[in-house]
C-alpha cells in the first residue's frame, strides 16, 4: 500500500494500558513514517485479555523520523495526563514537528501551550503524591507492612513508584489508587491494577503521635490560608490524619503567633565568643583563618570554625560550612546561612532549604549526591527587637570568604557549579551580573568550570501572590531540571 493510499485508510491503535508509552511510540513512529495523517487514526486502551492485533504498516526502507530530541521527554510526561484525547494530541504534535522543528520553542502556539499545561499538571500531581501519601501500619513482626491510599488526578503511579522505593527502601509498603497499585517487598517493585479505598486501613496506632508532632511544628506566624489550601487542596484532607486539626489551628493562629513571638530568644547562643580553633594535625589557622594544610573537606570545615577573615564572625553563632560528598559532580552555592542555619550549623535547613529540597526532589536531583555551600560562611543580620533580620553581605565580605569557596572547589573538583542568586554569582565569577538576564545560562570561567545561573529559593518565599509564587516555583523547577540534564551531560 502506497503512502497516498494509507492516508485514505483509517487506523485503530490499541494500547495495552493508559501508560503504555512504548506502545504509543512504536505505533506513532510507524504511522508517521508512512505519512498517515492524525485525523484518520483512532486511539484506544484495550481492556480485558482480548486485545486486537496491531496491524501497522512497516516503516519504508531507509526512512528516518527526525524530531527534536527533547520531545520524547515532554511526550512521556504528558502521556501520564488523564485527558483521554492525549494519544491523538501527542501524535499531532509529532506530525507537526517533522516539518516545524522549532515548534516547542513557540510559546504562543496553542499546541505547545497545551503540552506545557499537561506537563505542569502531571508534575504538580506527582508533587502532591510525594507530599500527601500517608502510610498506615498493618501487621507485626514478619507480617509488618505499610499501606497507603491516594487519589491522583492523573496516571502517575508508575512514574512515581521509584521515588517511594528510594525514600522507603527499608519498609515493605503498598500504595493503592483507583488506577493502579505499587507494591515494594524490600527487594522487588510490582505494579498492579487499581483498588478501592476500602482496601486500605482507616488508621493505625502511630497517627496520634503524628498529629501531636504536626500540631507542634505548625508555625502560625507564617500561616496564609489561601496559599495553604492551594498547596494542600481540601480533596487531600480526607486521607490525611492531621487534617482534623487544621480548622482549629487556623482559628487559633493569631493568638498562637503572638504567644510564639513573646517566647522567642533574644539573641543567638553566646558560645561563639568562646569558640577556639581546634588544632590541626600540624598547625592552627592564623588570625585570618587562612590555612594551606587542609587535604580533605572535613579538615577544611574544622578550620572554618576559627575563621576571622571578616568581622561577621563576631555576631554569628558559628561558621556554617558546606555539606555533601567530597567527590560531588555539582556544587550549589547560596548566599549565606540564615537564622536557622546559624543555630544548627548546617546549610539550607531553614524555610528556603525546605523549598530547595522539595524542588530538587521533584526535579530528580538527589541532594545526597551534590555538595551545598554558601558564598559567605557566617550569618549577617540586623537585630530588630527579639528577632534577627537577614542582611545582605557586601562585596568585601564576599571577597574575604572566597578563600574558603576556592578551597572547597579545589578539593571537590566539580564539573558544574550552580549559583543561587546574585551573591553566589559574584563569589563564583568575581563580578556582579544581572541574575534576571542571565538566569538559565551557563557561563564558563577561565579555569573551565561551568557556572549555571539561577535565583536563590528564598526569592520564592518572598512572593505574596499565590499565582505568582506558583509560577516562580515552576520556573525554578525547570532550572533544576536543566541542572539535572547538565549533570547527565
Amino acid at each position: 500500500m502506497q503512502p497516498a493510499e494509507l492516508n485514505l485508510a483509517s487506523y485503530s491503535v490499541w494500547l495495552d494500558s493508559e501508560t503504555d508509552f512504548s506502545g504509543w511510540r512504536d505505533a506513532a513512529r510507524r504511522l508517521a513514517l508512512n505519512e498517515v495523517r492524525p485525523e484518520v487514526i483512532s486511539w484506544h486502551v484495550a481492556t480485558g485479555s482480548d486485545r486486537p492485533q496491531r496491524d501497522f504498516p512497516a516503516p519504508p526502507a531507509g526512512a528516518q523520523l527526525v524530531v527534536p530530541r527533547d520531545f520524547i521527554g515532554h511526550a512521556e510526561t504528558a502521556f501520564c495526563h488523564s485527558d483521554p484525547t492525549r494519544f491523538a494530541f501527542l501524535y499531532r504534535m509529532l506530525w507537526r514537528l517533522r516539518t516545524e522543528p522549532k515548534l516547542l520553542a513557540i510559546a504562543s502556539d496553542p499546541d505547545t501551550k497545551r503540552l506545557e499545561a499537561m506537563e505542569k499538571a502531571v508534575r504538580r500531581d506527582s508533587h502532591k503524591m510525594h507530599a500527601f501519601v500517608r502510610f498506615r501500619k498493618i501487621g507485626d513482626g514478619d507480617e509488618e507492612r505499610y499501606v497507603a491510599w491516594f487519589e491522583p488526578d492523573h496516571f502517575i503511579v508508575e512514574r512515581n513508584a521509584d521515588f517511594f522505593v528510594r525514600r522507603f527502601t527499608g519498609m515493605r509498603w503498598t500504595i493503592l489508587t483507583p488506577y493502579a497499585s505499587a507494591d515494594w517487598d524490600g527487594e522487588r517493585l510490582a505494579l498492579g491494577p487499581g483498588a478501592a479505598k476500602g482496601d486500605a486501613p482507616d488508621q493505625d496506632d502511630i497517627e496520634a503521635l503524628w498529629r501531636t508532632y504536626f500540631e507542634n511544628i505548625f508555625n502560625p506566624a507564617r500561616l496564609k490560608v489561601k496559599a495553604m489550601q492551594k498547596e494542600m487542596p481540601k480533596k487531600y484532607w480526607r486521607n490525611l490524619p492531621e487534617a482534623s486539626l487544621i480548622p482549629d489551628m487556623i482559628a487559633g493562629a493569631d493568638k498562637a503567633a503572638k504567644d510564639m513571638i513573646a517566647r522567642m530568644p533574644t539573641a543567638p547562643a553566646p558560645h561563639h565568643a568562646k569558640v577556639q580553633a581546634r588544632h590541626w594535625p600540624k598547625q592552627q589557622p592564623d588570625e585570618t583563618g587562612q590555612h594551606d594544610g587542609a587535604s580533605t573537606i572535613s579538615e577544611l570545615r574544622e578550620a572554618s570554625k576559627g575563621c576571622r577573615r571578616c568581622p561577621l564572625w563576631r555576631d554569628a553563632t558559628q561558621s556554617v560550612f558546606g555539606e555533601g560528598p567530597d567527590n560531588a559532580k555539582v556544587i550549589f552555592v547560596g548566599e549565606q546561612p540564615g537564622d536557622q542555619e546559624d543555630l544548627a550549623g548546617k546549610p539550607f535547613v531553614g524555610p528556603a532549604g525546605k523549598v530547595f529540597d522539595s524542588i530538587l526532589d521533584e526535579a530528580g536531583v538527589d541532594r545526597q549526591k551534590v555538595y551545598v555551600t554558601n558564598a559567605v560562611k557566617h550569618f549577617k543580620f540586623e537585630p530588630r527587637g527579639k528577632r534577627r533580620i537577614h542582611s545582605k553581605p557586601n562585596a568585601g565580605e564576599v571577597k574575604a570568604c572566597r578563600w574558603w569557596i576556592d578551597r572547597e572547589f579545589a578539593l571537590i573538583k566539580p564539573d558544574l557549579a550552580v549559583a543561587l542568586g546574585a551573591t553566589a554569582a559574584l563569589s563564583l565569577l568575581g563580578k556582579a551580573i544581572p541574575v534576571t538576564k542571565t538566569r538559565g545560562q551557563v557561563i564558563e570561567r577561565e579555569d573551565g568550570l561551568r557556572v549555571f545561573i539561577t535565583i536563590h529559593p528564598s526569592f520564592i518565599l518572598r512572593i505574596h501572590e499565590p499565582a505568582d509564587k506558583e509560577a516562580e516555583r515552576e520556573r525554578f523547577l525547570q532550572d533544576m531540571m536543566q541542572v539535572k540534564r547538565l549533570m547527565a551531560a
Side-chain angles (χ1 to χ4, degrees):
M1 190 177 293
Q2 298 299 313
E5 297 173 306
L6 289 171
N7 268 305
L8 297 175
S10 61
Y11 286 86
S12 293
V13 181
W14 293 85
L15 303 176
D16 290 340
S17 69
E18 296 282 2
T19 54
D20 182 17
F21 182 73
S22 62
W24 176 88
R25 185 176 180 178
D26 177 64
R29 178 178 175 275
R30 289 170 177 265
L31 294 169
L33 285 172
N34 280 284
E35 300 292 329
V36 179
R37 299 186 62 82
E39 56 266 26
V40 300
I41 306 172
S42 60
W43 300 84
H44 312 275
V45 175
T47 57
S49 57
D50 295 329
R51 289 180 172 81
Q53 294 292 320
R54 291 173 175 165
D55 185 21
F56 307 136
Q64 290 187 339
L65 183 62
V66 180
V67 295
R69 181 179 300 176
D70 57 348
F71 171 68
I72 298 302
H74 292 299
E76 199 165 10
T77 301
F79 199 85
C80 297
H81 200 279
S82 57
D83 186 342
T85 66
R86 65 191 182 281
F87 311 129
F89 165 68
L90 291 172
Y91 183 77
R92 185 171 76 242
M93 287 289 291
L94 177 70
W95 180 263
R96 291 184 62 189
L97 282 165
R98 301 176 315 144
T99 55
E100 301 175 69
K102 303 290 187 182
L103 177 61
L104 296 178
I106 304 175
S108 60
D109 183 89
D111 281 347
T112 300
K113 290 170 67 175
R114 180 181 174 187
L115 180 65
E116 290 177 351
M118 291 172 72
E119 287 186 271
K120 182 177 180 179
V122 169
R123 286 195 299 270
R124 182 170 179 80
D125 206 28
S126 295
H127 174 64
K128 298 304 182 189
M129 184 174 182
H130 296 173
F132 300 132
V133 161
R134 294 290 187 270
F135 287 105
R136 292 181 166 103
K137 178 185 172 183
I138 59 173
D140 292 297
D142 293 340
E143 301 300 319
E144 178 183 288
R145 67 181 305 104
Y146 294 81
V147 181
W149 170 255
F150 185 71
E151 299 174 40
D153 292 328
H154 305 289
F155 302 105
I156 61 170
V157 174
E158 294 176 46
R159 181 181 180 87
N160 290 280
D162 284 340
F163 166 84
F164 290 95
V165 170
R166 294 192 304 270
R167 175 162 287 188
F168 303 108
T169 305
M171 287 169 39
R172 293 190 301 167
W173 52 260
T174 302
I175 299 175
L176 304 175
T177 80
Y179 310 115
S181 61
D183 182 87
W184 171 252
D185 64 5
E187 296 180 356
R188 183 181 60 88
L189 176 67
L191 299 169
K197 186 175 182 180
D199 297 327
D202 289 332
Q203 59 183 351
D204 65 10
D205 296 337
I206 301 175
E207 291 190 5
L209 179 62
W210 167 245
R211 282 193 288 267
T212 300
Y213 171 74
F214 180 80
E215 193 170 21
N216 280 276
I217 64 169
F218 173 67
N219 186 345
R222 291 184 177 273
L223 177 65
K224 293 181 175 61
V225 177
K226 289 184 178 179
M228 182 198 72
Q229 292 184 355
K230 181 178 177 62
E231 288 299 316
M232 188 169 67
K234 286 190 174 181
K235 65 165 283 188
Y236 299 107
W237 289 21
R238 59 181 177 268
N239 297 321
L240 300 178
E242 66 270 27
S244 62
L245 303 172
I246 294 176
D248 289 341
M249 292 168 71
I250 292 175
D254 185 58
K255 181 179 182 302
K258 292 177 180 177
D259 292 344
M260 184 182 71
I261 292 172
R263 294 193 303 268
M264 288 183 67
T266 58
H271 66 268
H272 69 87
K274 301 178 182 179
V275 171
Q276 296 180 352
R278 298 183 181 179
H279 285 272
W280 282 71
K282 295 182 180 179
Q283 57 181 8
Q284 285 182 273
D286 62 22
E287 62 182 5
T288 67
Q290 186 160 322
H291 219 306
D292 292 325
S295 59
T296 67
I297 287 293
S298 60
E299 290 180 352
L300 198 63
R301 181 179 295 110
E302 190 68 20
S304 73
K305 296 177 181 180
C307 180
R308 305 292 185 267
R309 297 184 63 82
C310 76
L312 293 183
W313 70 272
R314 294 194 180 100
D315 297 319
T317 305
Q318 58 193 313
S319 65
V320 180
F321 209 71
E323 282 193 337
D326 292 4
N327 60 348
K329 297 301 181 184
V330 60
I331 295 182
F332 287 86
V333 181
E335 181 186 87
Q336 66 163 353
D339 180 79
Q340 293 187 30
E341 288 82 1
D342 173 70
L343 296 173
K346 294 178 177 292
F348 282 78
V349 296
K354 290 179 172 59
V355 172
F356 179 64
D357 282 352
S358 172
I359 295 178
L360 278 191
D361 190 28
E362 201 170 335
V365 178
D366 187 351
R367 178 163 171 178
Q368 301 303 313
K369 296 182 179 179
V370 303
Y371 188 87
V372 181
T373 190
N374 282 299
V376 173
K377 308 302 186 192
H378 286 105
F379 179 34
K380 182 179 181 180
F381 62 92
E382 295 177 3
R384 192 171 299 171
K386 296 182 179 181
R387 302 177 64 195
R388 300 187 298 167
I389 305 301
H390 164 276
S391 181
K392 185 176 180 179
N394 60 40
E397 291 155 351
V398 173
K399 183 179 180 181
C401 217
R402 185 168 178 178
W403 189 92
W404 296 104
I405 288 285
D406 286 345
R407 275 145 188 80
E408 285 178 288
F409 275 78
L411 289 171
I412 295 174
K413 299 180 175 62
D415 296 329
L416 176 71
V418 180
L420 301 171
T423 300
L426 172 63
S427 175
L428 292 172
L429 300 174
K431 60 180 180 181
I433 62 169
V435 171
T436 54
K437 292 183 179 180
T438 56
R439 180 177 185 176
Q441 296 182 23
V442 177
I443 300 175
E444 186 168 330
R445 299 196 321 192
E446 292 182 359
D447 61 1
L449 178 68
R450 297 176 300 161
V451 179
F452 180 85
I453 309 297
T454 185
I455 61 162
H456 194 284
S458 62
F459 176 70
I460 300 172
L461 294 174
R462 294 196 295 270
I463 300 174
H464 298 295
E465 180 60 40
D468 294 341
K469 183 187 288 285
E470 178 63 25
E472 189 56 52
R473 187 187 188 282
E474 177 66 21
R475 191 176 176 192
F476 188 65
L477 172 61
Q478 293 299 318
D479 287 347
M480 294 303 99
M481 293 175 73
Q482 186 175 344
V483 168
K484 183 182 180 182
R485 290 192 291 270
L486 289 168
M487 291 168 63

